[in-house]
């Protein structure tokens, strides 16, 4: 039969007749005479893609050649590629029956050629082992056979088992040799053969048991070789065959149990791990791919193997638990059938019942965010019997949640986040919820602190979003802090705090909690809601928080204090010694962190509601106000809103006016804050504080309110209606208290662009009325000219252009140079309107200098008519005689004018 004819029945072209095989073998023997010829033959074969592509008899693969006694010519990679190619070519053939049904007339030839092909493959495998009779060499042969032993097709499993047994038998026959590193991949090979004992095909099961007997014999010979005992191989084999028992087709599980029991002496930790993972391989594919009966038998064989190995050799698996958990996690992705998944998860609960700490530590290493496989492994800890002690399990998670996600060496750690994820999965099991309540306060506080730690934290690369296998859609980026917030929310809901969770949702508290600048506000909202709805666990949380306030780093203390402060509203606080309530809040006023100062003020305000502590808290008001200096505007607004209650409760007659002045000093710098809500609140509160001032006016009061004039006038021009209205109202209150007679235009929010006379009139009033503060006004306007908002810069430039000419009699060289530099810079402002106003201000100042007589420091003065278009000659010849001296003012003006021409 020609090769082309064989191809028509589904056989590869190299599947040749017996006569052609004989010729090829003879030719191969000739080629093996020289090392160079043999290398050439192998090179040709590998280039052509392996034996299945060779169309002619003379290109037969070298597995038909007799073994050579030269050194192995194949590297590890080439050897593995050769075995894989040949095994795949033969094992993937249809069954003999299928090929014969295609061509019934040639059924006998097909049968013959099929057996010759299997024999040829076996000859190759044996020859390769003889070339490299080492553990590594044997492993490279057995490894490619493993996956085929779990095939869904019976004829492929049969071929794989037959080849394994043949290689083992050949290994046995070539002994004695000593494998110093032990039998390679013993656990995997034993596990795969054990599963095949339970194969629905009795022939496969019988041959698998025979292979196990040969393997046991090899191991016995190895053991006796170490002890230098002489042994008859055949007698030992027959003895072991009787010892392991005959194959039981009715109950193959009996054979499985006997084999596992007797192999105990040869199973170390690595072998136990490999045996367990091999048992999981039998669960892939499910009953649909294998057939219902076959799938059920494989599940039973796997279950018996897993349970018996862990029952008898559990202690040996201790050091390889992380590898076992990782293997289970990887295998679950390929196991879909519910019953098969239950079997695959058995080792989790069985190992956890004895080594819970090690199992939990291994599960903490699962990739995050947890997928369905990782989540199911966590739930397995308490869902299946034997389950671990839930109390101890929760204590372990709590311990992990108390760790910082950043190690001492500055490296990020996923342990706290993984513990939070595991807790979230355990909370989904109803039987676990009642046990969680025991440590609910500790868990809640630990999670809240972890929220703070995880804000802006970048975790290791193992934390990454993974595509959904079904939809192939990339999920949104995984943000660790959002995940921890989700766990906090889940914990609250499971503990029956649904009202609190909903209240926080309505106020945006969950979002605030996950933001660096607003975390304490989110925590405060949560605590406030729990107090409002009278959460049953608040007393336990209160007593737990007292020692926590002094522990940990800044983030730890801020979170704990934010929660504790809101609990000061509880009646039970009366039982706490004053040093732990009032004393802690007083200490917080001098804390270096502004957030702690604001939280302490909030706590003192809450304590002031109690009659017995009101006087003590009111006495601390100056310290509270002083602590707000140089604090961020948002925090200032938050603190001042809290302080309102204390101000309202105090007798105005007894109130020290210096406290009000200090409050005004705290608020004024925030008039120029870039955030509208901060500006609006500070200006509004400023006006209300001014309204509380009472005569007699002190010097501090007057200076503070005078310093308010320019900021209010400039901010009024920013174009914001709400802010402008507050400025007008606050300016009016200042005027009423100070009895100022400001020009009416000072209260107008209309732009100054079209009314320069109004600006000039305001400036003239300020300089004439508050001459001693003129330079202060100029300094403030120069500072506002640096504001980030263009509208403020523009109004500042216009104000400077009108103010400087009004200061003709008091202007100094230093101030003039500072004004010059500021206006020069503003002429290059990104905003065009600011550039124009800066140029106009320069011209206005220069023109005014020529029109007016500015006395020099020595009392000298000079007078001159303005030059045409405000230009002047650099020489002094045309000036009056009294002004021909090179005075400082003339030099400054000339220098400025020259810079304008450039």
């Amino acid at each position: 039969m020609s090769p082309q004819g064989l191809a028509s029945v589904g056989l590869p072209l190299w599947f040749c007749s017996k006569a052609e095989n004989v010729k090829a073998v003879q030719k191969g023997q000739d080629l093996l005479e020289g090392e160079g010829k043999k290398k050439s033959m192998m090179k040709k074969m590998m280039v052509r893609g392996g034996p299945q592509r060779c169309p002619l008899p003379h290109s037969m693969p070298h597995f038909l050649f007799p073994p050579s006694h030269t050194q192995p010519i194949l590297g590890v990679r080439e050897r593995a590629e050769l075995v894989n190619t040949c095994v795949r070519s033969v094992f993937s053939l249809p069954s003999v029956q299928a090929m014969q049904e295609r061509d019934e007339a040639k059924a006998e030839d097909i049968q013959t050629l099929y057996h010759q092909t299997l024999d040829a493959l076996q000859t190759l495998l044996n020859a390769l082992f003889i070339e490299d009779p080492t553990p590594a060499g044997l492993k490279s042969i057995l490894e490619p056979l493993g996956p085929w032993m779990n095939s869904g097709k019976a004829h492929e499993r049969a071929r794989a088992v037959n080849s394994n047994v043949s290689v083992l038998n050949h290994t046995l026959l070539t002994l004695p040799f000593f494998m110093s590193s032990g039998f390679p991949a013993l656990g995997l090979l034993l596990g795969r053969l054990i599963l095949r004992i339970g194969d629905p095909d009795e022939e496969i099961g019988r041959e698998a048991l025979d292979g196990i007997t040969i393997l046991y014999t090899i191991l016995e010979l190895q053991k006796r070789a170490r002890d230098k005992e002489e042994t008859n191989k055949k007698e030992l084999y027959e003895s072991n065959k009787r010892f392991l028992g005959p194959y039981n087709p009715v109950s193959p599980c009996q054979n499985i149990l006997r084999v596992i029991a007797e192999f105990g002496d040869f199973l170390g930790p690595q072998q136990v791990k490999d045996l367990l993972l091999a048992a999981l391989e039998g669960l892939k594919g499910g009953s649909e791919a294998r057939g219902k009966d076959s799938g059920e038998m494989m599940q039973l064989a796997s279950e018996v193997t897993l349970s018996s190995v862990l029952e008898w050799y559990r202690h040996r698996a201790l050091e390889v638990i992380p590898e076992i958990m990782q293997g289970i996690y990887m295998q679950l992705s390929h196991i879909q059938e519910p019953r098969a998944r239950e079997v695959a998860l058995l080792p989790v609960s069985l190992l956890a019942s004895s080594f819970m700490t090690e199992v939990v530590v291994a599960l903490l290493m699962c990739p995050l965010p947890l997928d369905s496989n990782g989540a199911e492994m966590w739930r397995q800890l308490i869902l299946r019997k034997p389950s671990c002690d839930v109390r101890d399990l929760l204590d372990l998670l709590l311990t992990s949640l108390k760790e910082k996600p950043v190690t001492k060496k500055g490296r990020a750690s996923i342990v706290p986040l993984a513990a939070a994820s595991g807790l979230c999965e355990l909370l989904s099991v109803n039987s676990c919820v009642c046990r969680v309540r025991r440590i609910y306060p500790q868990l809640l506080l630990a999670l809240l602190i972890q929220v703070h730690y995880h804000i802006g934290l970048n975790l290791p690369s193992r934390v990454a979003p993974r595509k959904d296998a079904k939809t192939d859609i990339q999920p949104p980026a995984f943000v660790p802090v959002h995940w921890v917030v989700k766990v906090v929310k889940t914990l609250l809901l499971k503990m029956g705090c649904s009202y609190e969770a909903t209240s926080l949702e309505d106020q945006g508290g969950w979002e605030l909690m996950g933001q660096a600048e607003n975390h304490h506000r989110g925590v405060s909202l949560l605590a406030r809601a729990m107090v409002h709805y009278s959460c049953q666990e608040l007393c336990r949380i209160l007593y737990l928080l007292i020692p926590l306030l002094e522990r940990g780093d800044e983030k730890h203390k801020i979170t704990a204090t934010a929660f504790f402060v809101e609990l000061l509203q509880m009646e039970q606080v009366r039982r706490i010694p004053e040093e732990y309530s009032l004393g802690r809040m007083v200490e917080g006023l001098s804390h270096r962190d502004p957030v702690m100062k604001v939280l302490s003020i909030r706590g003192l305000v809450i304590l002031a509601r109690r009659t017995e502590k009101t006087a003590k808290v009111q006495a601390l008001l100056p310290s509270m106000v002083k602590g707000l200096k140089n604090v961020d505007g948002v925090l200032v607004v938050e603190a001042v809103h809290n302080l309102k209650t204390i101000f309202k409760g105090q007798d105005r007659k007894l109130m020290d006016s210096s406290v009000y002045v200090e409050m005004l000093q705290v608020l004024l710098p925030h008039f120029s804050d870039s955030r509208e809500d901060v500006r609006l609140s500070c200006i509004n509160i400023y006006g209300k504080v001014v309204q509380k001032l009472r005569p007699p006016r002190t010097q501090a009061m007057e200076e503070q309110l005078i310093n308010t004039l320019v900021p209010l006038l400039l901010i009024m021009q920013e174009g914001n209606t709400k802010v402008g209205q507050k400025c007008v109202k606050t300016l009016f209150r200042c005027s009423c208290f100070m009895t100022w007679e400001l020009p009416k235009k000072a209260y107008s929010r209309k732009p100054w662009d079209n009314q320069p006379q109004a600006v000039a009139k305001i400036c003239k009033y300020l300089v004439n009325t508050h001459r001693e503060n003129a330079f202060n006004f100029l300094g403030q306007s120069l500072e506002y000219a640096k504001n980030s908002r263009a509208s403020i810069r523009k109004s500042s430039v216009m104000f400077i252009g009108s103010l400087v000419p009004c200061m003709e009699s008091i202007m100094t060289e230093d101030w003039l140079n500072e004004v010059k530099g500021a206006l020069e810079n503003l002429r290059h402002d990104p905003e065009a309107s600011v550039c124009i106003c800066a140029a106009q201000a320069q011209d206005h100042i220069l023109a005014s200098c020529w029109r007016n007589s500015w006395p020099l420091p020595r009392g000298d003065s000079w007078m001159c008519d303005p030059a045409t278009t405000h230009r002047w000659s650099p020489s002094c010849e045309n000036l009056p005689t009294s002004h021909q001296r090179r005075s400082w003012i003339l030099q400054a003006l000339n220098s400025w004018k020259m810079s304008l021409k450039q």
Side-chain angles (χ1 to χ4, degrees):
M1 188 177 191
S2 67
Q4 288 75 12
L6 292 174
S8 65
V9 294
L11 295 176
L13 294 177
W14 56 266
F15 193 82
C16 307
S17 65
K18 183 176 181 182
E20 291 171 329
N21 282 346
V22 173
K23 291 179 182 178
V25 170
Q26 184 62 46
K27 193 169 185 67
Q29 289 174 337
D30 295 338
L31 288 171
L32 286 173
E33 290 178 359
E35 180 71 13
K37 292 182 179 180
K38 186 172 183 182
K39 289 182 179 179
S40 175
M41 180 64 182
M42 288 306 304
K43 186 175 181 182
K44 281 184 178 181
M45 185 188 72
M46 296 306 295
V47 168
R48 295 182 182 182
Q52 62 186 16
R53 295 188 180 181
C54 300
L56 299 175
H58 65 266
S59 297
M60 289 291 288
H62 101 295
F63 59 67
L64 294 178
F65 303 157
S68 169
H69 298 289
T70 60
Q71 291 297 319
I73 62 169
L74 294 177
V76 177
R77 183 178 177 182
E78 290 81 3
R79 184 186 182 92
E81 190 175 341
L82 174 63
V83 175
N84 270 315
T85 302
C86 295
V87 166
R88 184 172 61 251
S89 300
V90 175
F91 286 4
S92 61
L93 289 172
S95 65
V96 178
Q97 292 79 6
M99 290 189 288
Q100 288 175 334
E101 288 174 1
R102 283 187 180 182
D103 194 348
E104 295 180 359
K106 300 171 184 176
E108 187 176 344
D109 291 338
I110 291 173
Q111 180 79 13
T112 302
L113 291 172
Y114 173 74
H115 287 299
Q116 287 177 349
T117 303
L118 291 182
D119 292 342
L121 176 61
Q122 202 56 53
T123 302
L124 167 65
L125 299 179
N126 294 342
L128 288 174
F129 176 67
I130 292 174
E131 278 190 346
D132 186 16
T134 62
L138 182 58
K139 183 180 180 182
S140 68
I141 297 170
L142 294 175
E143 215 167 43
L145 303 176
W148 294 93
M149 295 176 71
N150 293 312
S151 171
K153 300 176 181 178
H155 62 276
E156 292 180 355
R157 297 198 302 274
R159 292 166 187 167
V161 171
N162 179 264
S163 292
N164 267 288
V165 174
S166 297
V167 172
L168 288 173
N169 189 49
H170 187 72
T171 304
L172 177 61
L173 294 175
T174 56
L175 287 173
F177 66 88
F178 182 63
M179 296 184 182
S180 57
S181 59
F183 196 90
L186 171 61
L188 284 174
L189 178 60
L190 178 61
R192 288 163 178 165
L193 288 172
I194 284 175
L195 290 182
R196 297 281 63 82
I197 293 177
D199 199 281
D201 190 324
E202 292 184 15
E203 289 302 319
I204 296 176
R206 187 173 281 103
E207 190 165 13
L209 183 58
D210 186 51
I212 290 173
T213 303
I214 297 172
L215 178 60
Y216 190 79
T217 304
I218 292 173
L219 295 174
E220 280 281 305
L221 288 170
Q222 289 286 302
K223 182 179 178 182
R224 296 187 184 191
R226 283 193 293 269
D227 299 336
K228 298 181 180 179
E229 297 181 17
E230 293 292 333
T231 308
N232 185 298
K233 297 179 185 178
K234 186 176 181 180
E235 290 180 359
L236 182 60
Y237 168 75
E238 294 296 336
S239 171
N240 289 335
K241 192 172 183 178
R242 292 190 297 272
F243 179 65
L244 292 174
Y247 175 68
N248 186 347
V250 178
S251 181
C253 289
Q254 297 297 324
N255 295 111
I256 293 174
L257 291 171
R258 182 65 182 269
V259 167
I260 293 173
E262 299 304 331
F263 267 80
D265 293 341
F266 306 107
L267 299 178
Q270 289 298 326
Q271 287 73 35
V272 170
K273 178 207 70 173
D274 289 342
L275 182 53
L276 292 172
L277 297 183
L280 294 177
E281 290 179 1
L283 300 171
K284 294 181 182 179
S287 58
E288 293 181 2
R290 302 172 184 273
K292 185 176 180 180
D293 294 338
S294 175
E296 290 178 355
M297 292 184 71
M298 286 301 96
Q299 289 174 14
L300 180 60
S302 295
E303 185 174 3
V304 171
T305 303
L306 292 170
S307 57
S308 57
V309 168
L310 290 173
E311 182 179 351
W312 296 333
Y313 312 120
R314 190 179 309 176
H315 59 285
R316 303 183 192 180
L318 176 59
E319 64 184 71
V320 291
I321 283 178
E323 299 170 54
I324 293 173
M325 294 299 113
Q326 183 181 9
I328 294 172
Y329 176 81
M330 299 300 293
Q331 293 286 6
L332 283 173
S333 301
H334 307 287
I335 303 173
Q336 305 302 329
E337 190 174 352
R339 173 57 185 157
R341 290 179 69 86
E342 287 182 17
V343 175
L345 288 165
L346 270 178
V348 178
S349 54
L350 289 171
L351 287 171
S353 62
S354 299
F355 312 113
M356 183 176 61
T357 301
E358 289 75 12
V359 171
V360 169
V361 170
L363 290 180
L364 290 175
M365 294 299 108
C366 281
L368 298 176
L370 287 178
D371 56 11
S372 58
N373 298 327
E376 201 166 354
M377 291 177 73
W378 276 105
R379 293 193 295 269
Q380 181 73 11
L381 294 175
I382 53 179
L383 277 177
R384 298 284 177 268
K385 299 296 181 181
S387 63
C388 60
D389 189 312
V390 178
R391 179 169 182 165
D392 294 340
L393 172 60
L394 292 173
D395 288 340
L396 277 173
L397 290 178
L398 178 59
T399 302
S400 298
L401 285 171
K402 290 179 180 179
E403 294 182 15
K404 291 180 65 174
V406 179
T407 62
K408 293 181 180 179
K409 295 182 179 180
R411 297 177 181 174
S413 168
I414 69 166
V415 170
L417 181 60
S421 301
L423 175 64
C424 192
E425 295 306 324
L426 296 180
L427 287 171
S428 65
V429 182
N430 291 331
S431 61
C432 181
V433 173
C434 58
R435 304 292 183 90
V436 171
R437 195 172 296 279
R438 177 182 63 88
I439 56 172
Y440 168 51
Q442 293 95 318
L443 286 173
L444 177 61
L445 294 175
L447 285 170
L448 290 173
I449 293 168
Q450 286 299 334
V451 170
H452 204 170
Y453 280 141
H454 281 84
I455 294 174
L457 186 65
N458 294 319
L459 293 175
S461 57
R462 72 170 66 212
V463 181
R466 296 181 294 276
K467 285 187 178 182
D468 190 290
K470 296 180 180 179
T471 61
D472 197 39
I473 296 175
Q474 187 75 23
F478 176 66
V479 182
V481 66
H482 294 171
W483 186 260
V484 184
V485 170
K486 176 187 173 183
V487 179
V488 175
K489 190 186 301 186
T490 303
L491 179 64
L492 285 174
L493 293 173
K494 289 295 181 178
M495 293 296 102
C497 300
S498 57
Y499 289 114
E500 292 87 337
T502 304
S503 173
L504 214 59
E505 189 81 47
D506 295 340
Q507 299 177 71
W510 297 119
E511 289 75 17
L512 293 175
M513 197 179 290
Q515 299 169 2
E517 66 279 5
N518 293 315
H519 171 75
H520 69 282
R521 296 185 181 92
V523 174
S524 297
L525 284 174
L526 173 60
R528 209 171 300 161
M530 295 179 77
V531 172
H532 177 75
Y533 290 106
S534 304
C535 177
Q536 297 178 353
E537 304 293 339
L538 282 182
C539 284
R540 293 172 61 197
I541 295 175
L542 175 64
Y543 294 122
L544 178 65
L545 275 170
I546 292 173
L548 284 180
L549 296 176
E550 295 299 320
R551 298 177 187 170
D553 57 12
E554 295 302 310
K555 291 184 177 181
H556 186 287
K557 289 178 180 177
I558 286 173
T559 303
T561 303
F563 206 104
F564 177 77
V565 161
E566 298 302 325
L567 300 191
L568 294 175
Q569 303 175 61
M570 299 169 58
E571 285 298 321
Q572 289 81 355
V573 173
R574 297 178 186 273
R575 306 174 192 168
I576 300 176
E578 194 172 86
E579 61 181 298
Y580 295 126
S581 55
L582 184 64
R584 289 279 171 81
M585 297 300 101
V586 174
E587 290 175 9
L589 293 177
S590 57
H591 200 280
R592 62 178 178 272
D593 193 310
V595 175
M596 289 292 289
K597 292 180 181 179
V598 173
L599 290 173
S600 298
I601 290 173
R602 167 73 178 167
L604 290 170
V605 170
I606 293 173
L607 289 173
R609 298 171 186 172
R610 304 185 185 281
T611 308
E612 69 274 11
K613 289 187 172 61
T614 301
K616 293 181 180 179
V617 174
Q618 287 179 343
L620 293 168
L621 189 57
S623 299
M624 287 188 263
V625 175
K626 284 181 181 178
L628 294 176
K629 291 183 178 179
N630 301 318
V631 173
D632 181 74
V634 175
L635 295 175
V636 167
V637 172
E638 182 180 346
V640 172
H641 276 302
N642 288 321
L643 288 172
K644 282 182 182 178
T645 55
I646 298 181
F647 279 111
K648 289 179 180 178
Q650 277 200 324
D651 189 343
R652 292 182 179 179
K653 296 180 180 179
L654 300 176
M655 172 69 83
D656 185 359
S657 62
S658 63
V659 176
Y660 289 123
V661 174
E662 286 185 0
M663 178 68 78
L664 296 177
Q665 291 172 352
V666 167
L667 292 169
L668 182 59
H670 301 291
F671 282 15
S672 60
D673 197 287
S674 59
R675 294 160 291 192
E676 179 186 336
D677 56 336
V678 174
R679 296 198 305 277
L680 194 65
S681 298
C682 287
I683 294 170
N684 182 42
I685 296 170
Y686 195 97
K688 291 182 178 179
V689 174
V690 170
Q691 209 171 12
K692 289 181 176 291
L693 296 176
R694 291 291 179 270
R697 298 198 302 261
T698 64
Q699 183 179 354
M701 285 183 191
E702 292 180 354
E703 288 181 358
Q704 179 60 36
L705 295 184
I706 290 171
N707 288 337
T708 311
L709 280 168
V710 171
L712 289 175
L713 289 168
L714 296 179
I715 295 171
M716 205 182 296
Q717 291 294 314
E718 78 169 59
N720 187 310
T721 304
K722 291 182 180 179
V723 175
Q725 289 173 348
K726 295 297 181 184
C727 287
V728 171
K729 187 178 292 186
T730 300
L731 181 61
F732 179 75
R733 288 171 176 171
C734 293
S735 297
C736 291
F737 182 76
M738 295 293 294
T739 64
W740 290 331
E741 296 181 0
L742 287 168
K744 291 183 180 180
K745 292 292 184 180
Y747 301 102
S748 173
R749 291 186 288 109
K750 292 181 180 180
W752 286 344
D753 303 60
N754 301 322
Q755 44 181 352
Q757 297 83 3
V759 185
K761 190 174 183 180
I762 293 171
C763 292
K764 187 175 181 180
Y765 171 83
L766 292 178
V767 173
N768 292 338
T769 310
H770 308 286
R771 193 176 190 82
E772 67 279 6
N773 297 102
F775 286 112
N776 188 29
F777 296 151
L778 181 58
Q780 286 179 313
S781 57
L782 287 170
E783 190 63 32
Y784 272 84
K786 304 173 185 177
N787 197 279
S788 59
R789 297 188 304 285
S791 58
I792 297 294
R793 296 198 301 273
K794 178 181 173 183
S795 59
S796 300
V797 169
M798 297 176 69
F799 189 84
I800 293 170
S802 298
L803 181 64
V804 171
C806 295
M807 299 170 62
E808 56 185 278
S809 60
I810 58 175
M811 182 59 67
T812 66
E813 181 179 9
D814 291 339
W815 277 106
L816 188 62
N817 287 333
E818 188 171 348
V819 170
K820 170 191 172 183
L823 293 179
E824 278 295 320
N825 292 332
L826 289 165
R827 286 187 65 184
H828 305 285
D829 194 272
E831 179 63 34
S833 61
V834 176
C835 298
I836 295 171
C837 288
Q840 290 175 347
Q842 284 182 325
D843 286 346
H844 189 206
I845 292 173
L846 290 171
S848 176
C849 290
W850 289 110
R851 282 196 304 267
N852 302 299
S853 175
W854 285 15
L856 302 177
R858 298 186 181 89
D860 193 7
S861 62
W862 50 270
M863 204 55 187
C864 177
D865 293 332
T868 306
T869 66
H870 307 308
R871 295 183 181 179
W872 63 87
S873 171
S875 70
C876 303
E877 296 176 357
N878 298 326
L879 291 177
T881 305
S882 61
H883 294 87
Q884 290 183 4
R885 297 168 45 185
R886 291 188 175 273
S887 63
W888 68 268
I889 191 70
L890 182 60
Q891 293 176 11
L893 290 172
N894 282 339
S895 173
W896 193 352
K897 192 65 179 177
M898 291 302 295
S899 66
L900 290 176
K901 292 180 178 180
Q902 294 176 356

